[in-house]
Amino acid sequence: MARIEYATKETATGKSKEYLEKMEARGVPILNMFRTVLKSPTVGPAFLRLGTALLEKDDLSPVLREIAILRVGHLTKAHYEWTQHVRIGLECGVTQAQVNAIAGDWKGSGQFTEEELAVIQFTDEVTQNIKASDAAFAAVRKTLSEQVVLELTVTIGFYNMVSRILETMEVELES
C-alpha cells in the first residue's frame, strides 16, 4: 500500500485537479505515479511538464533515452520504474536482449553499440557518483551534441528523482 493517498479528481485541488481532468478527457491513463505527484498542486504539474518534455520533446533518441532510464531503474532498484519502462523501451526499439543485459553484464553482453555503451557508462557514473568522469563525458560527446548530452543528463537526474519518489512513497504498480 502506498504511503500517501493518491490524488483523484475528487480530492485534488488547483492545477492538480485541472491536470487530472484534462488527462481523463484525453483518455490518458492516469498512472499511480501521476496520482502521487499530483498530491501537490504546485510540484505535481511542474513535474509532469518536465517528464513530458523529456519523453516527447527533446532530441535525445528514444532508444538511448530508454536505455538510460532502464539503467537508472535497475541501479536504484525501482521496480515500478523498471516495469513501466521495459514496456516503453520495447515499444521504442530497445530489444529484449538489451533489457536483459541492462540488468546484468551490459559491458560484456555484445548487445550494445559503442554509443549505447557510452550512454550506459555515463548513466552509471551520473547515478552513482553524481558527476561523470572526463572519460565518460568524452565518450558520449563523440556522438552526441552538447544539447543532447545535457538532455541525457537531465533525463538521468529526473529518473533518479522519479525512482526516489516511487520507492519512498511505495507507489503501487497498476494491475
Side-chain angles (χ1 to χ4, degrees), residues 18-175:
E18 289 176 31
Y19 258 76
L20 287 165
E21 289 170 347
K22 286 179 187 175
M23 291 168 81
E24 184 179 81
R26 291 191 336 245
V28 174
I30 304 174
L31 302 176
N32 289 339
M33 177 63 198
F34 303 158
R35 292 179 191 281
T36 299
V37 297
L38 287 170
K39 282 295 281 192
S40 169
T42 305
V43 172
F47 176 93
L48 293 178
R49 282 192 305 274
L50 178 56
T52 299
L54 293 173
L55 288 174
E56 298 176 2
K57 298 183 171 116
D58 68 9
D59 290 330
L60 177 63
S61 87
V63 169
L64 294 179
R65 178 194 71 223
E66 291 304 317
I67 286 171
I69 293 170
L70 285 167
R71 188 64 182 163
V72 169
H74 172 72
L75 292 171
T76 59
K77 298 176 179 62
H79 176 72
Y80 184 106
E81 191 60 37
W82 174 263
T83 303
Q84 292 288 9
H85 280 273
V86 164
R87 179 186 52 79
I88 295 168
L90 293 171
E91 289 172 2
C92 289
V94 177
T95 68
Q96 186 62 57
Q98 288 175 316
V99 169
N100 297 343
I102 288 168
D105 178 25
W106 60 269
K107 288 182 184 179
S109 70
Q111 296 299 315
F112 300 101
T113 66
E114 184 178 332
E115 180 179 55
E116 292 164 345
L117 289 168
V119 165
I120 298 169
Q121 182 64 46
F122 186 81
T123 301
D124 280 12
E125 292 187 20
V126 171
T127 298
Q128 296 171 320
N129 306 331
I130 308 304
K131 179 181 178 182
S133 66
D134 290 342
F137 191 87
V140 293
R141 275 294 286 131
K142 271 178 71 175
T143 59
L144 303 178
S145 70
E146 289 180 343
Q147 175 187 329
V148 174
V149 172
L150 175 63
E151 292 171 358
L152 173 62
T153 306
V154 172
T155 299
I156 294 164
F158 181 80
Y159 282 92
N160 268 281
M161 177 177 60
V162 168
S163 295
R164 284 159 174 77
I165 294 167
L166 290 166
E167 291 303 304
T168 298
M169 299 302 160
E170 296 181 359
V171 176
E172 300 161 312
L173 190 60
E174 293 78 13
S175 53

